C-alpha cells in the first residue's frame, strides 16, 4: 500500500464533512460538469420525451425480460439464464404482492459456457429463486460457478437501494475468473425481483425500530446462507447493501472471510459536527444521486483527492494529532454541531417522514413514470454505450414500478438527507470482534467463559474519486477499525496477534462516482480479484 501523503489536501479529504467531492469547488472548477452535461444528452432534467415515455409505459416490459436484456451484455454469455418465477408479467394495477410461481416451465436451467467459447471457462450460470420461511419470502439469485475445479470460496454481492442484481452485469464475468470461487448476486428482500412482502415495523422505540428495519434484510440473508449450506463467505455490499453488510457481520458473526464495502451509505455522524462550509441542499448527498452526471464523473480527475490516495488507497494509520482529534470528534455521541444546520426543503422532509418513497412517485405518475426515471438513468448511465444505457433504463423502470416493499425501510434507517439514524461509525469497530459460542451461535446458553472472540476480518472500503458519498467517513472507519485492533493487541499473546486478521483499508477508484462497480468496472474488477485471491491465500496459510 502507498504511504499517506503529508499534504494538506490529504488531511482535508480525511476530515471534511459528508458532501459531494465536487460540491464546494464546483462553481470555480473549470473542469466541472457543464450545464449541458447536467441536463443530459437531449436537454432538460427529464431526457425522455412524452411520447417515448408513454410508449414505454404502454409496453410495460416485465422485470424478468428487462433483467434478461441487461444480463445479455455479459461477455461470453450469449443467452443468460433467467427464471420466470417472479416478474414474468407486468405488475397489476391492484396492490398485490409480486407472486412467486413454482411451475417447472418458469424455472431456468443452468447455462454452461465451454472453454472453447469462453477463454476463462468452463463456467455455469444459474438464475433461480430461493424460498425462505414465512409467507411470500424469497430471494432472487444469480450465480456463476467454475466447473472442473473445487469450489472453496464464495463471494456474495448485495446491491444498493431500489436497485437489482442486474446492475452488476459488468462484474460477473470478471470476478468469476478467480480459481476456486463461486460468485452469487442477490436481490435484497422486497427489492429487485425478490418477493415483496408487506414491510412493517412494530416497535415504537427508536433504536428497536432501526433494528427491525435492518433485520428485515439481514435475517433473510442469513436464512439464505443456511439454505445454501455456506459456512463462510466474502460479502460485498454497495451503498445500502454496504450498510446491510456491516449490520449482518455484527448480528451474525463468524461467517465472513472478508467484508468489502463499495461506497457504503450510513457511516458518518451528522456532518455539521465539524467546522466547515456546507453545500446548499441542491448539492447535498440525496439530490446528487439524481443530478450527478456519470459521463463527467468518469472523465474527470478530482483535484481534491491526491494522486497517492487513488487506486492504491492509503494504508497509513498514523495521522497527525489534529486529524485524529477531528475524526474522533465525529464519532462522539455527545458532540453537538458547531455550525448551524442548513435545512432541507420542507417538501422533502415531509415526504421522507411520511415514508413516501421516490418509487411511489414513479408508480403514481402512470404514463409519466418512464420520463421521471429518465431523469436519473440518463445521468447514472450517461458514460455507457447507448444500447446498454437503454437496457439499464428499462430495467430500472421495471423494478421501480413494482409493488412497494423493502423500499419503505429507508426512512427508518436514514434520516432526511440520507444520513444514518444509527451511524455505522459508532459500531463498525465491532466487525470481526464479536463473541461466538462453540456451536457457532451468538445466543447460546453456553457460559460466556466457553465463548471465543472472532479473530478479526479484513475490511475494504472503496469509493470513486468523484463519489458523492462520504470518503472522509471511509477513512474514519478505517482508523477506528485499526485502532480497535491495536487496543486488542495490547493484551494479546504473540500467537493471538499472528492469527488476527482484522484490519481495514480505504481505496479510491479513479474517475468513478458512487457506482464504482459500474463507472470504473475494469479497475474495480481487478481490485476485487486481488482481494479474492488474498482470501484464498489466507485459507491456505491456516
Amino acid at each position: 500500500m502507498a504511504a499517506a501523503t503529508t499534504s494538506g489536501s490529504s488531511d482535508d479529504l480525511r476530515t471534511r464533512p459528508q458532501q459531494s467531492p465536487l460540491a464546494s469547488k464546483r462553481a470555480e472548477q473549470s473542469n466541472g460538469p457543464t450545464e449541458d452535461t447536467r441536463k443530459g444528452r437531449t436537454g432538460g432534467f427529464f431526457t425522455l420525451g412524452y411520447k417515448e415515455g408513454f410508449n414505454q409505459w404502454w409496453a410495460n416490459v416485465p422485470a424478468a425480460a428487462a433483467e434478461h436484456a441487461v444480463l445479455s451484455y455479459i461477455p461470453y454469455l450469449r443467452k443468460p439464464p433467467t427464471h420466470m418465477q417472479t416478474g414474468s408479467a407486468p405488475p397489476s394495477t391492484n396492490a398485490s404482492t409480486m407472486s412467486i410461481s413454482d411451475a417447472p416451465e418458469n424455472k431456468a436451467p443452468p447455462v454452461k459456457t465451454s472453454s472453447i467459447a469462453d477463454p476463462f471457462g468452463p463456467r455455469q450460470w444459474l438464475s433461480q429463486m430461493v424460498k425462505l420461511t414465512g409467507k411470500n419470502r424469497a430471494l432472487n439469485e444469480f450465480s456463476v460457478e467454475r466447473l472442473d475445479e473445487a469450489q472453496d470460496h464464495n463471494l456474495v454481492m448485495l446491491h444498493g437501494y431500489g436497485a437489482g442484481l442486474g446492475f452488476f452485469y459488468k462484474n460477473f464475468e470478471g470476478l468469476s475468473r478467480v480459481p476456486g470461487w463461486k460468485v452469487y448476486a442477490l436481490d435484497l428482500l422486497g427489492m429487485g425481483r425478490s418477493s415483496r412482502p408487506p414491510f412493517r415495523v412494530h416497535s415504537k422505540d427508536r433504536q428497536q425500530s432501526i433494528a427491525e428495519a435492518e433485520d428485515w434484510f439481514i435475517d433473510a440473508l442469513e436464512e439464505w446462507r443456511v439454505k445454501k449450506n455456506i459456512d463462510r463467505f466474502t460479502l460485498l455490499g454497495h451503498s445500502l447493501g454496504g450498510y446491510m453488510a456491516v449490520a449482518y457481520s455484527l448480528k451474525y458473526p463468524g461467517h465472513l472471510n472478508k467484508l468489502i464495502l463499495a461506497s457504503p451509505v450510513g457511516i458518518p455522524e451528522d456532518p455539521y459536527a465539524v467546522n466547515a462550509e456546507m453545500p446548499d441542499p441542491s448539492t447535498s448527498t440525496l439530490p446528487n444521486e439524481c443530478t450527478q452526471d456519470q459521463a463527467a464523473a468518469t472523465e474527470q480527475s478530482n483535484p481534491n483527492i491526491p494522486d497517492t490516495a487513488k487506486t492504491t488507497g492509503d494504508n497509513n494509520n498514523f495521522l497527525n494529532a489534529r486529524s485524529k482529534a477531528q475524526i474522533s470528534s465525529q464519532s462522539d455521541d455527545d458532540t453537538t454541531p458547531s455550525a448551524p444546520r442548513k435545512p432541507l426543503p420542507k417538501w422533502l422532509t415531509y415526504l421522507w417522514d411520511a415514508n413516501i418513497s421516490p418509487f411511489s412517485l414513479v408508480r403514481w405518475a402512470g404514463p409519466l413514470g418512464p420520463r421521471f426515471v429518465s431523469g436519473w438513468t440518463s445521468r447514472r448511465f450517461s458514460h455507457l454505450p447507448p444500447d446498454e444505457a437503454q437496457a439499464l433504463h428499462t430495467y430500472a423502470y421495471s423494478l421501480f414500478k413494482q409493488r412497494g416493499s423493502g423500499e419503505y425501510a429507508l426512512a427508518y434507517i436514514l434520516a432526511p438527507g440520507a444520513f444514518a439514524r444509527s451511524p455505522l461509525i459508532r459500531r463498525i469497530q465491532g466487525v470481526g470482534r464479536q463473541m461466538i459460542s462453540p456451536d457457532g451461535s451468538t445466543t447460546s446458553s453456553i457460559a460466556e467463559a466457553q465463548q471465543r472472540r472472532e479473530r478479526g476480518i479484513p475490511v475494504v472500503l472503496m469509493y470513486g474519486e468523484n463519489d458523492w458519498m462520504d470518503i472522509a467517513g471511509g477513512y474514519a472507519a478505517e482508523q477506528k477499525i485499526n485502532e480497535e485492533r491495536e487496543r486488542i493487541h495490547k493484551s494479546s499473546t504473540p500467537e493471538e496477534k499472528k492469527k488476527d486478521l482484522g484490519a481495514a483499508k480505504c481505496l479510491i477508484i479513479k474517475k468513478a462516482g458512487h457506482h464504482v462497480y459500474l463507472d470504473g468496472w475494469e479497475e474495480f474488477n481487478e481490485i476485487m480479484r486481488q482481494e479474492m485471491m488474498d482470501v484464498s491465500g489466507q485459507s491456505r496459510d491456516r
Side-chain angles (χ1 to χ4, degrees):
M1 300 298 297
T5 178
T6 57
S7 67
S9 60
S10 179
D11 291 341
D12 293 342
L13 173 64
R14 291 171 176 268
T15 59
R16 65 173 170 78
Q18 174 161 343
Q19 58 175 314
S20 165
L22 300 178
S24 62
K25 299 292 184 182
R26 182 173 287 158
E28 66 258 32
Q29 284 179 10
S30 60
N31 62 343
T34 65
E35 190 66 19
D36 290 336
T37 57
R38 282 196 197 96
K39 290 183 177 181
R41 288 172 174 157
T42 60
F45 187 84
F46 303 113
T47 59
L48 198 65
Y50 289 102
K51 181 178 180 180
E52 188 177 4
F54 178 84
N55 290 338
Q56 289 187 10
W57 172 79
W58 184 260
N60 211 3
V61 176
E67 179 186 286
H68 181 85
V70 171
L71 297 182
S72 67
Y73 288 100
I74 298 176
Y76 316 120
L77 186 63
R78 297 180 180 179
K79 295 183 179 180
T82 307
H83 73 78
M84 306 295 285
Q85 292 176 267
T86 58
S88 59
S92 57
T93 54
N94 57 27
S96 61
T97 57
M98 183 186 285
S99 60
I100 304 174
S101 171
D102 288 326
E105 61 270 19
N106 288 331
K107 296 181 179 181
V111 173
K112 296 181 180 180
T113 53
S114 68
S115 56
I116 299 176
D118 180 357
F120 301 98
R123 290 182 278 196
Q124 178 172 280
W125 314 70
L126 179 63
S127 169
Q128 64 177 345
M129 289 291 288
V130 179
K131 281 199 168 186
L132 309 177
T133 58
K135 184 179 180 181
N136 195 40
R137 295 179 73 248
L139 296 185
N140 182 33
E141 171 199 300
F142 186 81
S143 64
V144 191
E145 179 181 4
R146 297 184 62 81
L147 302 178
D148 301 336
E149 62 185 49
Q151 302 295 322
D152 300 320
H153 301 283
N154 299 282
L155 172 67
V156 178
M157 307 165 69
L158 303 178
H159 60 77
Y161 177 68
L165 59 81
F167 283 78
F168 293 119
Y169 77 104
K170 284 190 174 292
N171 313 117
F172 291 124
E173 190 280 319
L175 300 187
S176 60
R177 296 179 185 180
V178 184
W181 282 76
K182 184 172 183 177
V183 177
Y184 295 93
L186 301 175
D187 281 341
L188 295 171
L189 184 65
M191 295 185 185
R193 282 212 298 145
S194 289
S195 64
R196 293 179 175 241
F199 175 82
R200 296 187 182 93
V201 167
H202 303 284
S203 177
K204 300 296 183 181
D205 178 75
R206 181 179 183 275
Q207 286 301 124
Q208 187 57 37
S209 296
I210 296 171
E212 283 189 41
E214 293 175 356
D215 290 348
W216 163 272
F217 300 103
I218 64 178
D219 287 353
L221 174 59
E222 172 63 6
E223 188 176 349
W224 172 88
R225 181 197 68 81
V226 173
K227 292 203 71 169
K228 302 295 290 187
N229 197 28
I230 297 174
D231 181 30
R232 298 183 69 89
F233 62 100
T234 295
L235 183 57
L236 163 66
H238 171 253
S239 197
L240 182 66
Y243 178 100
M244 293 304 165
V246 174
Y248 173 85
S249 69
L250 293 173
K251 183 175 182 181
Y252 296 106
H255 299 296
L256 297 186
N257 290 318
K258 179 173 286 189
L259 179 62
I260 304 175
L261 308 176
S263 191
V265 72
I267 287 184
E269 293 271 9
D270 191 311
Y272 302 91
V274 296
N275 290 314
E277 182 180 354
M278 295 302 299
D280 292 329
S282 62
T283 54
S284 67
T285 57
L286 186 62
N288 256 320
E289 173 61 11
C290 297
T291 60
Q292 189 182 60
D293 189 277
Q294 289 311 105
T298 57
E299 292 171 4
Q300 297 171 10
S301 180
N302 186 355
N304 292 329
I305 299 181
D307 291 337
T308 52
K310 298 172 185 176
T311 306
T312 57
D314 184 351
N315 202 30
N316 181 19
N317 302 319
F318 303 98
L319 307 181
N320 60 44
R322 177 179 62 85
S323 298
K324 285 186 177 181
Q326 289 180 328
I327 291 177
S328 62
S329 69
Q330 290 180 305
S331 59
D332 291 339
D333 295 346
D334 58 351
T335 299
T336 56
S338 56
R341 185 185 184 106
K342 292 187 177 181
L344 292 167
K346 291 183 178 179
W347 63 266
L348 175 60
T349 303
Y350 172 79
L351 292 177
W352 196 291
D353 291 340
N355 209 358
I356 298 176
S357 79
F359 310 124
S360 298
L361 304 179
V362 172
R363 291 188 287 268
W364 295 341
L368 294 178
R371 178 171 162 81
F372 287 171
V373 173
S374 74
W376 178 73
T377 58
S378 64
R379 288 157 179 80
R380 286 299 96 192
F381 312 131
S382 59
H383 62 297
L384 297 172
D387 55 342
E388 293 183 32
Q390 179 59 48
L392 285 169
H393 165 79
T394 303
Y395 176 57
Y397 175 62
S398 74
L399 299 182
F400 295 171
K401 68 183 180 182
Q402 300 294 333
R403 156 76 182 250
S405 177
E407 67 195 62
Y408 297 125
L410 190 70
Y412 292 92
I413 295 169
L414 304 180
F419 299 105
R421 298 186 187 276
S422 179
L424 296 180
I425 194 65
R426 297 179 179 177
R427 42 186 171 144
I428 198 168
Q429 72 275 13
V431 171
R433 303 297 181 184
Q434 304 300 299
M435 299 299 295
I436 305 175
S437 298
D439 62 357
S441 71
T442 56
T443 58
S444 173
S445 59
I446 300 175
E448 184 174 333
Q450 293 180 276
Q451 291 183 327
R452 62 179 175 86
R453 186 180 296 277
E454 289 182 284
R455 296 183 303 174
I457 60 173
V459 179
V460 181
L461 300 105
M462 280 194 276
Y463 294 87
E465 74 170 301
N466 295 313
D467 205 322
W468 55 259
M469 197 61 73
D470 179 29
I471 303 177
Y475 282 116
E478 172 193 14
Q479 180 171 342
K480 201 160 189 181
I481 292 170
N482 291 333
E483 286 179 345
E484 179 68 9
R485 177 182 181 176
E486 293 173 8
R487 186 190 68 80
I488 291 175
H489 280 190
K490 290 180 180 179
S491 58
S492 300
T493 65
E495 184 65 21
E496 289 173 334
K497 292 179 181 179
K498 183 178 180 181
K499 293 181 178 180
D500 194 314
L501 301 175
K505 60 183 177 182
C506 192
L507 308 177
I508 307 298
I509 306 297
K510 291 186 294 186
K511 297 184 178 180
H514 177 53
H515 296 260
V516 292
Y517 60 93
L518 190 58
D519 301 341
W521 62 272
E522 292 176 299
E523 189 175 339
F524 177 87
N525 288 349
E526 179 59 33
I527 291 175
M528 282 295 303
R529 285 193 291 265
Q530 293 174 5
E531 297 298 332
M532 294 162 71
M533 288 187 288
D534 177 64
V535 172
S536 300
Q538 289 178 351
S539 65
R540 288 192 298 267
D541 295 338
R542 288 175 183 171

